[in-house]
Amino acid sequence: MSVTRSAQSAEQTDPRRWWGLVVIALAQLMVVLDATIVNIALPSAQRDLGMSDGNRQWVITAYTLAFGGLLLLGGRIADLVGRKRTFVIGLVGFAAASALGGAATGSGMLFAARALQGVFAAVLAPSALSLLTTTFTDPKERGKAFGIYGALAGSGSAIGFIVGGLLTEYLNWRWCLYVNVPIAVAAVIGALVLLHDRPGHAGARLDVPGVLLGCGGLVAIVYGFSEAQPRGWSDPLVLTLIVGGVVLLAAFVWWQSRARTPLLPLHIVKDRNRAGCFLTMGLAVIGMFGLFLFMTYYLQVVLAYSPVRTGLAFLPMTAAIIVGSTQISARLMNHVAPRMLMAPGMVLAAGGMLVLTRMTVNSSYATEILPALLLMGLGMGLTFMPVFSTATAGVAPQDSGVTSATVNTAQQVGGSIGTALLNTIATTSSTAYVGAHLAGSSQKALVVREGVVHGYTVAIWWAVGIMLLAGLVAALMVTTKPPKQGAPAPAPLPESVA
């Protein structure tokens, strides 16, 4: 115990720890924005590599599938091997996979590179968050650090659209992948110089049945939802994957209650506050990823924005997330209960979504779209910072990696489900609208555009409901009190067998 306290004390008095936060933030930003940076570049990559319309989705899905499905494994590897070592391995692998994707000569090579990016992101993301958790334990500093981290986690996807638009328009789509290489190199150098870590548990064993059941179940569910868009929800493959994934996860939970060294110690998710944070994150991201998808196509296809202009249109939302996270949540975190930030944040984000349900084919960005994006950004900024901080507070050091992985898993799986679910709703509604209005119309192109926007607004209504549900979950489940400024970090949960 004295060794642990002295290690924490050394970390807390290290004057370079804030530079260490810069390194961790760089890595997290790279991982989060890579889920969206290629979206705007996808049409160019499709033309260049001769991808079919049916296969182009794999540029996105290969990444999210590997990332979301393997996060729990990545978190446990960080706990066993050591977080700093895992962090560096993840950075090097991510950079190599990015370079491979940028040099792709065919669609298969690009798909494989994106899957490899997802694998190494699953190693990198939980080690980054757990390094942050173990470096900043003082409540005042923890609030500031998690405010910055939450801002990046919330705005990274929007930043991806901006960077993707700039790189695609002024260089080419390959730079959306190459850009990761210099970022990763800088982060590796910074990690070796600035970051500290306790050694991993060398004698511990990896829970192989847990890996197969847990990761297999997550991969099956994410894959099933990704295939729901092109195939439909009633397709036998989609149903088999989703039902099979649920069965595997049920078997995973059963096994975790009996395994000597569980992949996910159940006391982590049995905690009411932590479970509430996981669920709030998953529901919030369902709505957010749906918004990114619809607004990208709305701005480029309906309003005819260029890739750069589309990316810049998301900039106010990014700024609002940063303000909400670092200037509001971080300042209030030590004075109010987390749910007093999370629940209003979700209501505010739902209000922004509600504004978007009124958009038409001729909506003005300044008066109709911009206010909605600002409300969404502030709401997400208020929510993400306390979610990350509360979910990772009070966890035993050897479980910090897998706890961090569970937060990221909720984010990635929620994003995959949101994209598939809301896109299917939008497509179905658009088809029904066009079928009902096209007959006898002399303006077929206008009817099709109106049908597309109608589909978006129907799906956004669903997103409003999901956001409000996230706020209700936060209000009812997250009951922890605010940390007292200057008080010691909460006592860790009981150590799992290692």
Side-chain angles (χ1 to χ4, degrees), residues 72 74-80 83 126-127 129-131 133-134 198-201 204 256 260-269 274 278 391-407 492-498:
L72 281 178
R76 185 46 87 191
I77 288 174
D79 289 332
L80 298 180
R83 288 171 282 278
S127 59
L129 182 52
S130 58
L131 278 168
T133 301
T134 55
R198 303 179 188 91
H201 297 269
Q256 294 307 284
R260 285 191 60 193
T261 55
L263 180 66
L264 176 61
L266 292 184
H267 62 72
I268 290 174
V269 292
R274 198 164 284 110
F278 296 153
T392 56
V395 179
Q398 75 277 7
D399 287 334
S400 64
V402 73
T403 305
S404 304
T406 308
V407 182
L493 293 172
E495 296 190 2
S496 57
V497 179

Side-chain angles (χ1 to χ4, degrees), residues 111-451:
F111 299 157
R114 289 286 288 168
L116 275 176
Q117 280 186 307
V119 170
F120 285 106
V123 173
L124 180 59
S127 59
L129 182 52
S130 58
L131 278 168
L132 184 67
T133 301
T134 55
T135 299
F136 294 93
T137 54
D138 176 78
K140 183 178 180 180
E141 291 195 345
R142 185 180 175 88
K144 292 179 181 178
F146 274 88
I148 295 169
Y149 187 90
L152 289 172
S155 63
S157 297
I159 294 172
F161 286 117
I162 299 168
V163 176
L166 291 169
L167 293 174
T168 300
E169 188 154 328
Y170 294 112
L171 293 173
N172 62 54
W173 67 268
R174 296 180 185 275
W175 280 97
C176 291
L177 294 160
Y178 285 144
V179 71
N180 293 319
V181 177
I183 296 175
V185 169
V188 166
I189 295 171
L192 295 175
V193 174
L194 299 169
L195 296 181
H196 303 284
D197 189 25
R198 303 179 188 91
H201 297 269
R205 295 179 180 179
L206 193 63
D207 175 21
V208 176
V211 170
L212 296 176
L213 292 171
C215 297
L218 286 174
V219 167
I221 289 175
V222 174
Y223 184 24
F225 274 100
S226 68
E227 286 295 298
Q229 177 185 342
R231 293 174 179 269
W233 290 100
S234 60
D235 182 82
L237 176 62
V238 172
L239 293 175
T240 300
L241 286 167
I242 294 175
V243 172
V246 171
V247 170
L248 285 173
L249 289 182
F252 169 76
V253 172
W254 172 83
W255 173 253
Q256 294 307 284
S257 66
R258 288 158 176 78
R260 285 191 60 193
T261 55
L263 180 66
L264 176 61
L266 292 184
H267 62 72
I268 290 174
V269 292
K270 283 181 179 178
D271 179 83
R272 175 174 180 163
N273 293 298
R274 198 164 284 110
C277 287
F278 296 153
L279 192 53
T280 300
M281 172 61 81
L283 291 170
V285 174
I286 286 176
M288 188 176 75
F289 269 56
L291 172 76
F292 287 151
L293 178 71
F294 299 141
M295 292 311 299
T296 299
Y297 278 92
Y298 176 77
L299 293 172
Q300 288 199 64
V301 176
V302 178
L303 298 186
Y305 279 23
S306 68
V308 170
R309 192 179 179 190
T310 300
L312 292 176
F314 284 99
L315 190 58
M317 180 179 179
T318 304
I321 290 174
I322 293 172
V323 170
S325 187
T326 63
Q327 301 304 310
I328 302 177
S329 275
R331 293 177 184 271
L332 295 178
M333 185 66 184
N334 293 325
H335 305 286
V336 300
R339 64 177 173 179
M340 298 304 294
L341 296 171
M342 294 162 61
M346 285 293 90
V347 172
L348 200 60
M353 285 280 196
L354 194 61
V355 174
L356 288 177
T357 60
R358 300 175 58 85
M359 68 184 185
T360 67
V361 293
N362 298 312
S363 289
S364 165
Y365 175 81
T367 59
E368 297 173 70
I369 307 301
L370 179 59
L373 294 181
L374 290 174
L375 287 173
M376 275 284 296
L378 282 173
M380 287 297 179
L382 282 173
T383 302
F384 280 155
M385 181 265 171
V387 164
F388 281 118
S389 182
T390 305
T392 56
V395 179
Q398 75 277 7
D399 287 334
S400 64
V402 73
T403 305
S404 304
T406 308
V407 182
N408 280 283
T409 298
Q411 188 176 9
Q412 292 302 315
V413 173
S416 297
I417 291 172
T419 300
L421 173 64
L422 297 180
N423 191 57
T424 301
I425 292 171
T427 303
T428 303
S429 301
S430 295
T431 302
Y433 182 94
V434 172
H437 293 80
L438 193 59
S441 175
S442 59
Q443 296 181 307
K444 294 184 177 180
L446 178 61
V447 170
V448 170
R449 291 172 64 208
E450 289 177 342

